Amino acid sequence: MSTWWSYRPADFLLFSEEVYWRLFELQNAALWPAQIVALAGGTLILVLALRQRPWSGPIAGVLLAAAWVSVTALFLWQRYQPINWAALYAIPPFLAEAAILLFAFARRESAFAGSRGLRSELGAGLFVYALALHPLLPLATGRPLGQGEIFALAPDPTAIATLGILLLARRCPLISLALPVPLVWCLASWTTLQTIGTFEAWIPFAAALIAIIGAFLSERRRKR
């Protein structure tokens, strides 16, 4: 029994760091040029949030929901669960998140109208990071750029981007209900990446912390 004390968290992990990053490389190669469509969709979401038109919310909600369904089908189910059985337990929450986002932004009045201040700035920063900078992380570690994680195709940037949009959105019960899944995923990803020993572990953790802080900040309305 004393041998149990010698185990580390990494001893229970079913895959290595190399295998984990290889998943994204294989997915990116198989899905090309879907990355262009995903990044274009993400850019459109940000434009909709910042332009603040009455129809911005419904379109952004559909695109965000599609991103979560895409990650569920293309990554969690096809790539991740064959090497990590725990990924199966993430599938129902991911699909639930897609449904919540769809309903949360379905109202005709603008979901983003009039908000500004530190809360919205943090939200925009999170979204821009997830969309434009997160895919470039392999360059910081000497890994191939093909292993980059893309919004709507990989869970971490999708969760971080969603947290950003939720900070940009006008507060309502459904918006609050949409926060837990991306927050929990970021913390779960932090745990996994910390276990395999990569510095990227602190990125989803930092994103979750920023989102929690932003969620408690008050909104200021833009003067008309």
Side-chain angles (χ1 to χ4, degrees):
M1 292 294 294
S2 61
T3 57
W4 283 100
W5 296 102
S6 64
Y7 284 100
R8 300 171 301 162
D11 296 322
F12 296 95
L13 203 62
L14 302 177
F15 51 88
S16 65
E17 180 181 359
E18 291 75 16
V19 169
Y20 182 76
W21 298 127
R22 178 68 172 159
L23 290 179
F24 300 103
E25 186 173 13
L26 292 172
Q27 174 165 279
N28 286 331
L31 295 179
W32 176 261
Q35 293 84 351
I36 297 175
V37 177
L39 293 175
T43 301
L44 178 56
I45 292 172
L46 183 61
V47 170
L48 290 169
L50 297 180
R51 292 292 298 274
Q52 303 177 359
R53 296 294 185 263
W55 36 263
S56 294
I59 298 176
V62 169
L63 293 174
L64 279 173
W68 281 82
V69 172
S70 170
V71 169
T72 303
L74 299 177
F75 184 77
L76 291 183
W77 178 254
Q78 292 189 17
R79 299 286 175 184
Y80 201 24
Q81 66 87 17
I83 68 166
N84 184 4
W85 56 268
L88 288 172
Y89 293 98
I91 290 176
F94 269 52
L95 295 178
E97 178 70 10
I100 294 169
L101 290 167
L102 198 60
F103 284 104
F105 290 97
R107 296 172 302 166
R108 286 297 299 169
E109 65 268 22
S110 178
F112 306 105
S115 62
R116 66 175 183 175
L118 182 56
R119 179 169 176 259
S120 60
E121 290 170 2
L122 290 175
L126 283 176
F127 194 93
V128 170
Y129 166 80
L131 189 68
L133 299 181
H134 197 83
L136 303 179
L137 277 179
L139 298 179
T141 60
R143 293 187 284 112
L145 188 58
Q147 293 182 357
E149 301 167 78
I150 310 295
F151 168 77
L153 301 179
D156 282 15
T158 303
I160 294 170
T162 300
L163 291 173
I165 288 297
L166 293 176
L167 292 184
L168 280 165
R170 179 183 293 174
R171 281 192 175 100
C172 75
L174 280 174
I175 292 295
S176 299
L177 190 60
L179 278 168
V181 172
L183 280 175
V184 170
W185 177 264
C186 283
L187 295 177
S189 181
W190 165 62
T191 302
T192 299
L193 295 175
Q194 185 78 357
T195 301
I196 64 178
T198 175
F199 88 93
E200 288 101 322
W202 294 103
I203 293 172
F205 179 85
L209 184 60
I210 290 170
I212 291 171
I213 293 171
F216 285 98
L217 293 175
S218 61
E219 293 180 43
R220 287 188 295 160
R221 295 294 172 195
R222 191 182 303 275
K223 294 182 179 179
R224 302 246 180 220

